[in-house]
Amino acid sequence: MSVERSSVNSGAPHSARIWNYWLGGKDCYEIDRQVGDQIAAANPGILDTARAQRAFLVRAVEYLVRDAGIRQFLDVGTGLPTADNTHEVAQRLLPEARIVYVDHDPVVLVHAEALLTSTPEGATDYIDADLRDPDGILEQAARTLDFAQPVALILLGIAAHVTDDSVYGIVQRLLDALPSGSHLVFCDSTEVVHPEQQRAMVEQWNEASDNPRVNRSPDQLARFFDGLEMLEPGLVSTSRWRPAPNGAEVPAEVPAEVDNFGGVARKP
């Protein structure tokens, strides 16, 4: 898979590149750094949020592989490769794990080769697709994943970019294609901890970007888990989702509650 760099729009900010910048990555443009700094100035907690969301991903994938027996992952809206990507975490524990990434940002496609590394026993693939096309995602993902076996569907911070209620039907379409024993790993932005800062951040983002987003309340986020068996501790700040596995002491670097709520649930 290859994409010409000339097709990448370096004049408009994009959430995948800004998120990469916040996580310390280098795959971003000056406009992404400018907007990222503006957002961070208005909402300093966004850096904690970025780190908390990445740590949530790692803990969730570790749980799913180690305790739930999941061997397949469909990660939609993955963004740019940084540290501890889904395939790295899963294949460290289970070399034969199979992972499909989905994103539609051309700059992510430019770096897709970094995502396509895999253990010899497993598989990693990349799909150029939009969350708004669940049927297209499923059709392409079937090249790598066996939908007769459980799959973990990962949606971290991506549903916010579908700003109306059609997003619930989109996520449900993806879940409907997965068999019993599959899991949903989901999180998104809220206005619980710092509501004024969160609202200002979204307003600023939507003024600067052609890819708008919306914050949702915990009750609205809970709707994504309808019909699923929610795992403890339920829908919580991602920094508070099992921060210390097996009763260990909570690491000092774990941030306080962040305006990013999520959880993990099993499809019965």
Side-chain angles (χ1 to χ4, degrees):
M1 178 186 301
S2 64
V3 174
E4 295 295 331
R5 289 185 180 269
S6 60
S7 70
V8 176
N9 183 359
S10 61
H14 193 285
S15 57
R17 300 192 298 263
I18 291 175
W19 206 256
N20 178 268
Y21 173 55
W22 286 334
L23 286 172
K26 306 299 182 184
D27 296 312
C28 50
Y29 296 110
E30 181 61 27
I31 185 64
D32 303 307
R33 292 188 287 271
Q34 289 176 0
V35 174
D37 288 342
Q38 291 168 5
I39 292 174
N43 184 5
I46 192 62
L47 300 180
D48 276 344
T49 295
R51 290 189 287 265
Q53 180 173 302
R54 177 51 55 122
F56 167 64
L57 169 68
V58 172
R59 297 194 302 274
V61 171
E62 288 177 342
Y63 164 79
L64 291 170
V65 173
R66 184 179 293 131
D67 299 322
I70 297 296
R71 304 163 64 92
Q72 304 185 105
F73 295 84
L74 179 58
D75 187 339
V76 183
T78 181
L80 287 160
T82 54
D84 282 333
N85 299 289
T86 299
H87 75 285
E88 293 170 325
V89 178
Q91 291 182 346
R92 277 201 299 263
L93 297 170
L94 184 72
E96 59 266 36
R98 306 178 74 81
I99 297 90
V100 171
Y101 292 105
V102 183
D103 208 293
H104 67 95
D105 182 5
V107 78
V108 179
L109 291 174
V110 168
H111 294 274
E113 287 185 359
L115 287 175
L116 291 172
T117 59
S118 175
T119 57
E121 305 94 327
T124 305
D125 197 6
Y126 186 90
I127 293 174
D128 176 18
D130 193 299
L131 176 63
R132 296 171 181 83
D133 181 19
D135 290 329
I137 290 173
L138 293 167
E139 179 181 358
Q140 295 183 72
R143 299 189 306 238
T144 302
L145 305 180
D146 177 4
F147 286 120
Q149 300 297 321
V151 175
L153 172 62
I154 300 177
L155 299 168
L156 303 189
I158 184 65
H161 289 290
V162 182
T163 58
D164 60 25
D165 282 356
S166 68
V167 69
Y168 296 109
I170 291 169
V171 174
Q172 189 60 53
R173 174 69 188 94
L174 292 170
L175 287 169
D176 285 346
L178 307 183
S180 173
S182 295
H183 286 67
L184 173 64
V185 181
F186 180 96
C187 72
D188 226 324
S189 56
T190 62
E191 297 178 0
V192 174
V193 184
H194 301 292
E196 292 183 4
Q197 293 179 1
Q198 284 293 103
R199 282 193 289 272
M201 179 186 71
V202 166
E203 290 172 1
Q204 190 171 29
W205 170 256
N206 291 345
E207 288 176 1
S209 172
D210 57 0
N211 187 23
R213 59 181 295 119
V214 65
N215 297 326
R216 291 187 167 95
S217 70
D219 284 346
Q220 290 173 315
L221 297 182
R223 287 181 57 188
F224 289 102
F225 297 96
D226 285 353
L228 304 178
E229 299 169 349
M230 200 77 178
L231 275 60
E232 293 293 337
L235 179 68
V236 294
S237 168
T238 48
S239 61
R240 296 308 182 203
W241 193 89
R242 305 189 180 190
N246 303 318
E249 184 177 348
V250 176
E253 65 270 17
V254 172
E257 280 205 340
V258 295
D259 269 310
N260 186 268
F261 276 44
V264 180
R266 180 184 183 275
K267 182 175 180 179

